[in-house]
Amino acid sequence: MTGSLTVAQRRAQVRHLAQTGASNRAIAAQLGIGKDTVRRDLAADDAPSLTRAERFAARVAQTESAMSQLGAAAQAVADAKPAYTPADEETARRWYAELRATVARLAAHADAFADYYPSATVCATNETGAP
């Protein structure tokens, strides 16, 4: 993906992605470059360096936005009531598969969250009564 970019253009993309809170590994994967190249691009003289606190704040803001979008998407699905929407068999199968796959991905994230923040999830578990 970066073959036609100049070094300056690539560094600009790396900086932009870093400012959104993306990890070096995620930036490298997205741009098709090595994580060491990302590190060097961020350390280059022409790259304004972000402090750790700035990167942390950007990552928190990005995650806060994603969590807000997740809640809105879940509400939109609940409002649409796909289980009660007339659909042909192929569409119904696709919706069911998408719902199950999404639930599995979200459950994996919830489990990772519980591993990383056990005290935060204990309180939530006690309040909801769910494990």
Side-chain angles (χ1 to χ4, degrees):
M1 175 175 173
T2 60
S4 62
L5 296 178
T6 66
V7 172
Q9 290 170 326
R10 185 192 69 227
R11 286 181 177 170
Q13 283 187 329
V14 167
R15 281 193 305 272
H16 172 73
L17 292 169
Q19 288 169 345
T20 66
S23 69
N24 287 6
R25 186 172 300 201
I27 294 169
Q30 185 170 342
L31 298 180
I33 58 178
K35 61 183 169 116
D36 289 336
T37 302
V38 172
R39 181 185 50 77
R40 283 190 300 271
D41 283 351
L42 291 172
D45 290 340
D46 63 336
S49 57
L50 295 175
T51 66
R52 184 177 209 140
E54 289 169 330
R55 286 188 70 168
F56 177 78
R59 185 65 182 259
V60 168
Q62 177 187 27
T63 303
E64 191 69 49
S65 174
M67 294 301 291
S68 177
Q69 292 171 22
L70 172 63
Q75 187 59 55
V77 170
D79 292 344
K81 299 180 181 170
Y84 305 105
T85 302
D88 59 76
E89 282 294 314
E90 182 180 331
T91 301
R93 281 190 193 99
R94 182 173 47 82
W95 287 351
Y96 180 78
E98 287 175 10
L99 284 167
R100 286 295 180 182
T102 300
V103 166
R105 286 193 310 270
L106 290 173
H109 285 289
D111 291 345
F113 194 87
D115 291 342
Y116 198 78
Y117 295 102
S119 62
T121 54
V122 167
C123 295
T125 299
N126 291 340
E127 291 171 6
T128 63

